[in-house]
């Protein structure tokens, strides 16, 4: 995967410059315990080149073959932002709690279950994300409810793409952390 994925993705681009490198990578195996363990909202590469960090693509492979939706938790929540959609107007009679407003807030995020074998890819330097509580009602010592995720970060050789102000995702961090 580490040798073929960067080249495969680079070959699929038509109008974008990925410059993903197969020459180096960082990896982490995360085991999140049951009982409500979380990873707070963050961006994997928040400082970019100022910290010498060239990570561009986050690849997460979930290794939870017996995952039970609605029980095991630990979903990856990706913040998508408002996407430039028009703001929702509400009347004074509903105190701003309209169904439209609730839908808008829900549309700002995508929750992805950590089913075994699922792979998720997103830009390391732009996409805010968090891990929701893992098996919040389970005993903390119940190893059957542990959440396993192998994360691999693929760097880029095109340094100008890191924290690119012209990216359509450039303002997601500002939106996510000011809500």
């Amino acid at each position: 995967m580490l040798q073929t994925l960067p080249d495969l993705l680079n070959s699929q681009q038509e109008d974008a410059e990925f410059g993903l490198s197969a020459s180096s990578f960082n990896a982490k195996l995360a085991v999140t315990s049951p009982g409500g363990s979380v990873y707070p909202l963050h961006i994997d590469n928040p400082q970019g080149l100022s910290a010498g960090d060239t990570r561009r693509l986050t690849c997460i492979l979930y290794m939870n073959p017996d995952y039970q939706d609605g029980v095991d938790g630990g979903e990856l929540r990706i913040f998508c932002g408002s996407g430039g959609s028009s703001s929702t107007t509400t009347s004074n009679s509903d105190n701003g709690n309209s169904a439209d407003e609730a839908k808008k807030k829900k549309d700002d995020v995508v929750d992805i279950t950590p089913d075994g074998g699922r792979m998720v890819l997103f830009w390391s330097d732009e996409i805010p994300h968090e891990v929701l509580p893992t098996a919040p009602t389970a005993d903390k010592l119940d190893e059957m409810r542990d959440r396993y995720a192998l994360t691999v970060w693929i760097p880029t050789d095109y340094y100008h793409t890191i924290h690119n102000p012209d990216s359509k995702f450039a303002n997601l961090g500002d939106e996510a952390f000011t809500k």
Side-chain angles (χ1 to χ4, degrees):
M1 175 182 89
L2 298 175
Q3 294 300 313
T4 59
L5 188 59
D7 289 338
L8 175 67
L9 293 173
N10 286 336
S11 71
Q12 298 302 310
Q13 69 185 4
E14 290 186 22
D15 60 350
E17 293 182 336
F18 297 153
L20 298 174
S21 174
S23 65
S24 67
F25 66 92
N26 294 316
K28 171 180 80 169
L29 175 61
V31 180
T32 309
S33 300
S37 297
V38 300
Y39 280 100
L41 183 65
H42 67 284
I43 294 175
D44 288 345
N45 181 0
Q47 296 178 314
L49 293 175
S50 65
D53 193 340
T54 61
R55 290 179 297 169
R56 182 72 174 112
L57 187 68
T58 297
C59 308
I60 302 173
L61 175 63
Y62 292 108
M63 300 177 292
N64 308 299
D66 299 321
Y67 180 81
Q68 295 178 27
D69 194 11
V71 176
D72 291 341
E75 295 89 350
L76 175 68
R77 174 166 283 174
I78 294 182
F79 182 81
C80 303
S82 59
S85 62
S86 60
S87 61
T88 304
T89 58
T90 58
S91 68
N92 291 337
S93 62
D94 65 11
N95 294 323
N97 294 322
S98 71
D100 288 342
E101 187 65 23
K103 181 181 183 320
K104 180 178 178 283
K105 287 183 185 282
K106 187 174 190 273
D107 289 346
D108 287 352
V109 299
V110 173
D111 292 343
I112 301 169
T113 56
D115 295 301
R118 174 171 283 159
M119 179 177 272
V120 180
L121 309 173
F122 56 88
W123 297 127
S124 306
D125 59 323
E126 297 180 323
I127 306 299
H129 59 284
E130 63 187 330
V131 174
L132 300 179
T134 301
T137 60
D139 184 301
K140 290 183 181 185
L141 301 177
D142 183 358
E143 292 179 357
M144 295 299 293
R145 297 288 174 235
D146 284 348
R147 173 190 174 275
Y148 294 90
L150 176 63
T151 303
V152 175
W153 291 279
I154 299 175
T156 182
D157 292 328
Y158 294 0
Y159 301 142
H160 66 279
T161 64
I162 298 174
H163 293 285
N164 180 351
D166 295 329
S167 167
K168 67 180 178 179
F169 304 114
N171 295 320
L172 280 183
D174 293 338
E175 285 185 42
F177 295 106
T178 57
K179 284 196 171 230

